Amino acid sequence: MTGGAGFVGSHLCKALLDAGAAVTCVDDLSTGRPENIAPLLDRPGFTLVQANVAQELPVRRRPDLVLHFASPASPADYLRLPLHTMETGSAGTGNALTLAHESEARFVLASTSEVYGDPQQNPQDERYWGNVNPVGPRSVYDEAKRFGEALTTAHAETYGTDTCIVRLFNTYGPGMRGHDGRAVPTFVRQALAGEPLTVTGDGRQTRSLCYVDDTVAGILAAAAHGLRGPVNIGNPSEISMLALARLVVALAGSSSEVRYIERPVDDPAVRCPDITLARDKLGWEPRVGAEEGLRRTIDWFRAESARG
């Protein structure tokens, strides 16, 4: 499990351990949180290897499944670590694919809805090629993931590697960093602190938010299936950023107001998955609604704040 100390990766590690699997978590901790995997360190079958997957994958076990989730994922991280992001998506993906091929293991690449860019089609299905700026500030992440998809496809066609590409849409839940720059943790942190919620632009841009337990279930369903993908894993319910901010304020019982700030360059106007393929082939769809998922997330952030 590369990137196993990250937000989604750590939830996957726990789910796999709960299912009885032995898990080797490989992470350089450049953006992953040691706190995410601290509860797993003493569990039987869990091994942590601190390494940069773009340089090496020092895994001793012959795995049955390789999940490649290593990469800075939030704008704050990939803008701070542009070259590391691209190296992880290129050389890191190549190293993970080689491990899977040599081990005759199933390989799952964590791609992203960012491959669709600022889409001119809504919702986005897997046949849509996207509308991406290859030299914009977000391109280091977008193009790294697009390259990773191309490399994964080439590996499968050239070597017969058993691969699957999952395109993850906005995922949220316990374990996120309050300052990682994404909307949900930012809004929750600000609401709980009584600070103004910073909404970019006019707040009418939309996102589709999938609770982390649902995302993990979708990933594992894809891993267990022979589907090669790409396959969208996300929640098809859209919400505007302004509506999300107001919902977080209400659920947190906060008195915070909304403050509008400049919208980032190349910020997508819409983001919504067509999950027909996941429904039909995997029998998967999200089950946790926005209010329930946000309540759980707010409760977790509140408890973290109380613990200091």
Side-chain angles (χ1 to χ4, degrees):
M1 175 82 230
T2 75
F7 166 51
V8 175
S10 59
H11 282 271
L12 272 166
C13 285
K14 181 180 183 302
L16 288 163
L17 288 169
D18 290 346
V23 177
T24 299
C25 165
V26 182
D27 203 301
D28 66 359
L29 301 180
S30 59
T31 60
R33 297 173 73 244
E35 297 89 342
N36 285 343
I37 53 172
L40 309 180
L41 293 176
D42 294 329
R43 292 189 57 171
F46 183 78
T47 303
L48 172 63
V49 176
Q50 189 169 345
N52 180 350
V53 298
Q55 298 175 356
E56 60 175 344
L57 254 178
V59 177
R60 295 177 181 176
R61 292 174 177 161
R62 180 184 173 96
D64 301 302
L65 174 66
V66 175
L67 296 135
H68 182 44
F69 279 65
S71 177
S74 75
D77 289 332
Y78 61 69
L79 292 174
R80 177 174 58 89
L81 300 166
L83 295 179
H84 179 57
T85 300
M86 300 203 77
E87 290 164 357
T88 303
S90 53
T93 302
N95 288 339
L97 279 163
T98 297
L99 174 64
H101 175 66
E102 292 178 347
S103 303
E104 298 182 347
R106 173 82 162 151
F107 175 86
V108 178
L109 173 71
S111 188
T112 171
S113 60
E114 296 297 327
V115 300
Y116 298 122
D118 188 4
Q120 297 175 338
Q121 171 183 305
N122 196 47
Q124 299 87 56
D125 65 36
E126 294 85 353
R127 295 167 297 180
Y128 178 54
W129 290 356
N131 176 40
V132 181
N133 179 0
V135 293
R138 303 169 69 98
S139 65
V140 294
Y141 183 63
D142 301 354
E143 297 301 328
K145 290 298 186 180
R146 287 162 71 95
F147 179 85
E149 287 197 13
L151 183 58
T152 298
T153 302
H155 221 275
E157 293 179 351
T158 302
Y159 299 118
T161 310
D162 181 13
T163 65
C164 178
I165 298 168
V166 290
R167 288 179 178 161
L168 307 184
F169 281 67
N170 298 77
T171 299
Y172 71 100
M176 300 189 86
R177 291 173 296 144
H179 291 274
D180 83 349
R182 286 179 276 199
V184 169
T186 299
F187 289 166
V188 171
R189 173 179 55 80
Q190 291 169 335
L192 292 179
E195 301 171 356
L197 272 65
T198 49
V199 173
T200 62
D202 60 11
R204 289 189 293 179
Q205 64 272 29
T206 68
R207 297 294 183 267
S208 300
L209 305 175
C210 194
Y211 188 66
V212 65
D213 289 358
D214 285 332
T215 296
V216 165
I219 294 164
L220 294 180
H225 196 278
L227 183 67
R228 187 160 148 185
V231 56
N232 291 335
I233 301 295
N235 193 316
S237 298
E238 279 183 282
I239 185 171
S240 74
M241 290 298 92
L242 180 57
L244 174 62
R246 289 171 173 166
L247 179 58
V248 168
V249 167
L251 294 175
S254 173
S255 59
S256 294
E257 298 180 350
V258 168
R259 179 167 62 90
Y260 295 95
I261 61 174
E262 185 177 357
R263 190 171 165 186
V265 176
D266 294 339
D267 184 46
V270 294
R271 181 74 85 233
C272 182
D274 181 326
I275 62 168
T276 301
L277 182 61
R279 282 193 179 115
D280 291 348
K281 297 295 185 180
L282 306 179
W284 173 87
E285 61 183 332
R287 301 186 180 279
V288 180
E291 289 197 14
E292 176 59 26
L294 287 170
R295 282 195 186 96
R296 296 180 192 178
T297 305
I298 291 167
D299 288 346
W300 181 84
F301 270 93
R302 186 176 277 124
E304 285 291 291
S305 178
R307 282 196 292 267

